[in-house]
Coordinates of all heavy atoms in Angstrom, one line a residue:
Chain B
L349 N -11.2 -9.9 -8.1 CA -10.0 -9.1 -8.2 C -9.8 -8.6 -9.5 O -9.9 -9.3 -10.5 CB -8.8 -10.0 -7.7 CG -8.8 -10.7 -6.4 CD1 -7.5 -11.5 -6.1 CD2 -9.0 -9.8 -5.3
N350 N -9.3 -7.3 -9.5 CA -9.0 -6.8 -10.9 C -7.6 -6.0 -10.6 O -7.6 -5.0 -9.8 CB -10.0 -5.8 -11.4 CG -9.7 -5.1 -12.7 OD1 -9.0 -4.1 -12.7 ND2 -9.9 -5.8 -13.8
A351 N -6.6 -6.3 -11.4 CA -5.5 -5.5 -11.3 C -5.1 -4.7 -12.6 O -5.3 -5.2 -13.7 CB -4.2 -6.4 -10.9
S352 N -4.8 -3.5 -12.4 CA -4.4 -2.7 -13.6 C -3.0 -2.2 -13.6 O -2.4 -2.2 -12.6 CB -5.3 -1.4 -13.6 OG -4.9 -0.5 -12.5
L353 N -2.5 -1.9 -14.7 CA -1.1 -1.5 -14.9 C -1.0 -0.3 -15.8 O -1.4 -0.3 -16.9 CB -0.2 -2.6 -15.4 CG 1.3 -2.3 -15.7 CD1 2.0 -2.0 -14.5 CD2 1.9 -3.5 -16.4
D354 N -0.2 0.7 -15.3 CA 0.1 1.9 -16.1 C 1.6 2.1 -16.0 O 2.1 2.8 -15.2 CB -0.7 3.2 -15.6 CG -0.4 4.3 -16.5 OD1 0.5 4.4 -17.4 OD2 -1.2 5.3 -16.5
K355 N 2.3 1.5 -17.0 CA 3.7 1.7 -17.0 C 4.3 3.2 -17.1 O 5.2 3.5 -16.4 CB 4.3 0.8 -18.3 CG 4.5 -0.6 -18.0 CD 5.0 -1.3 -19.2 CE 6.3 -0.6 -19.7 NZ 6.8 -1.4 -20.9
S356 N 3.6 3.9 -17.9 CA 4.1 5.2 -18.1 C 4.1 6.1 -16.9 O 5.1 7.0 -16.6 CB 3.2 6.0 -19.0 OG 1.9 6.1 -18.8
S357 N 3.2 5.8 -16.0 CA 3.0 6.6 -14.7 C 3.7 5.8 -13.6 O 3.8 6.2 -12.4 CB 1.7 6.9 -14.3 OG 1.0 5.8 -14.1
G358 N 4.0 4.5 -13.8 CA 4.7 3.7 -12.8 C 3.8 3.3 -11.7 O 4.0 3.4 -10.5
R359 N 2.5 2.9 -12.0 CA 1.5 2.7 -11.1 C 0.7 1.4 -11.4 O 0.5 1.1 -12.6 CB 0.6 3.9 -10.9 CG 1.2 5.0 -10.4 CD 0.1 6.1 -10.1 NE 0.7 7.3 -9.7 CZ 0.1 8.4 -9.4 NH1 -1.2 8.5 -9.5 NH2 0.8 9.5 -8.9
S360 N 0.4 0.7 -10.3 CA -0.6 -0.4 -10.5 C -1.5 -0.4 -9.4 O -1.3 0.1 -8.3 CB 0.1 -1.9 -10.5 OG -0.8 -2.9 -10.5
T361 N -2.8 -0.8 -9.7 CA -3.8 -0.9 -8.5 C -4.4 -2.3 -8.5 O -4.5 -2.9 -9.6 CB -5.0 0.1 -8.9 OG1 -5.6 -0.2 -10.0 CG2 -4.5 1.6 -8.8
L362 N -4.8 -2.7 -7.3 CA -5.6 -4.0 -7.0 C -6.9 -3.6 -6.6 O -6.9 -2.9 -5.4 CB -4.8 -4.9 -6.1 CG -5.5 -6.3 -5.8 CD1 -5.6 -7.1 -7.0 CD2 -4.8 -7.0 -4.6
Y363 N -7.9 -3.9 -7.2 CA -9.3 -3.6 -6.9 C -9.9 -4.9 -6.3 O -9.9 -5.9 -7.0 CB -10.1 -3.0 -8.1 CG -11.4 -2.9 -7.9 CD1 -11.9 -1.6 -7.4 CD2 -12.5 -3.8 -8.3 CE1 -13.3 -1.4 -7.1 CE2 -13.8 -3.6 -8.2 CZ -14.2 -2.3 -7.6 OH -15.6 -2.1 -7.3
I364 N -10.5 -4.8 -5.2 CA -11.2 -6.0 -4.6 C -12.6 -5.6 -4.5 O -13.0 -4.6 -3.7 CB -10.5 -6.4 -3.2 CG1 -9.1 -6.7 -3.4 CG2 -11.4 -7.6 -2.7 CD1 -8.4 -7.0 -2.0
A365 N -13.5 -6.3 -5.1 CA -14.9 -6.0 -5.0 C -15.6 -6.8 -4.0 O -15.3 -7.9 -3.6 CB -15.5 -6.4 -6.4
A366 N -16.6 -6.1 -3.3 CA -17.4 -6.8 -2.4 C -16.6 -7.5 -1.3 O -16.6 -8.8 -1.3 CB -18.4 -7.7 -3.0
S367 N -15.7 -6.9 -0.6 CA -14.7 -7.5 0.4 C -15.4 -8.4 1.4 O -16.6 -8.1 1.8 CB -13.9 -6.4 0.9 OG -14.7 -5.6 1.7
Q368 N -14.6 -9.4 1.8 CA -15.2 -10.4 2.7 C -14.1 -10.6 3.8 O -13.0 -10.4 3.6 CB -15.3 -11.8 2.1 CG -16.3 -11.7 0.8 CD -16.4 -13.0 0.1 OE1 -15.6 -13.9 0.3 NE2 -17.3 -13.0 -0.9
P369 N -14.5 -11.0 5.0 CA -13.5 -11.2 6.1 C -12.4 -12.1 5.8 O -11.3 -11.9 6.0 CB -14.4 -11.8 7.2 CG -15.7 -11.2 7.0 CD -15.9 -11.2 5.5
G370 N -12.6 -13.1 4.8 CA -11.7 -14.0 4.3 C -10.7 -13.3 3.4 O -9.6 -14.0 3.1
D371 N -10.9 -12.2 3.1 CA -9.9 -11.3 2.3 C -8.7 -10.7 3.1 O -7.7 -10.1 2.7 CB -10.6 -10.3 1.5 CG -11.5 -10.7 0.5 OD1 -11.3 -11.8 -0.2 OD2 -12.5 -10.0 0.2
S372 N -9.0 -10.8 4.4 CA -8.0 -10.3 5.4 C -6.7 -10.9 5.2 O -6.6 -12.1 5.5 CB -8.5 -10.3 6.8 OG -9.8 -9.6 7.1
A373 N -5.6 -10.1 4.9 CA -4.3 -10.8 4.7 C -3.4 -9.5 4.4 O -3.9 -8.3 4.4 CB -4.4 -11.6 3.4
T374 N -2.2 -9.8 4.0 CA -1.2 -8.8 3.6 C -1.2 -9.0 2.1 O -1.0 -10.1 1.6 CB 0.2 -9.0 4.2 OG1 0.1 -8.6 5.7 CG2 1.2 -7.9 3.6
Y375 N -1.2 -7.9 1.3 CA -1.2 -7.9 -0.1 C 0.1 -7.3 -0.5 O 0.4 -6.1 -0.2 CB -2.4 -7.2 -0.7 CG -3.6 -8.1 -0.5 CD1 -4.3 -8.0 0.7 CD2 -4.2 -8.9 -1.5 CE1 -5.5 -8.7 0.9 CE2 -5.3 -9.7 -1.3 CZ -5.9 -9.5 0.0 OH -7.1 -10.3 0.1
L376 N 0.9 -8.0 -1.4 CA 2.2 -7.4 -1.8 C 2.2 -7.2 -3.3 O 1.7 -8.2 -4.0 CB 3.4 -8.4 -1.4 CG 3.5 -8.4 0.1 CD1 3.1 -9.7 0.7 CD2 5.0 -8.4 0.5

Side-chain angles (χ1 to χ4, degrees):
Chain B
L349 305 180
N350 175 274
S352 67
L353 173 64
D354 185 342
K355 275 180 51 179
S356 60
S357 66
R359 295 183 181 183
S360 176
T361 61
L362 179 67
Y363 174 83
I364 302 177
S367 59
Q368 303 170 358
D371 295 330
S372 298
T374 298
Y375 291 81
L376 295 103

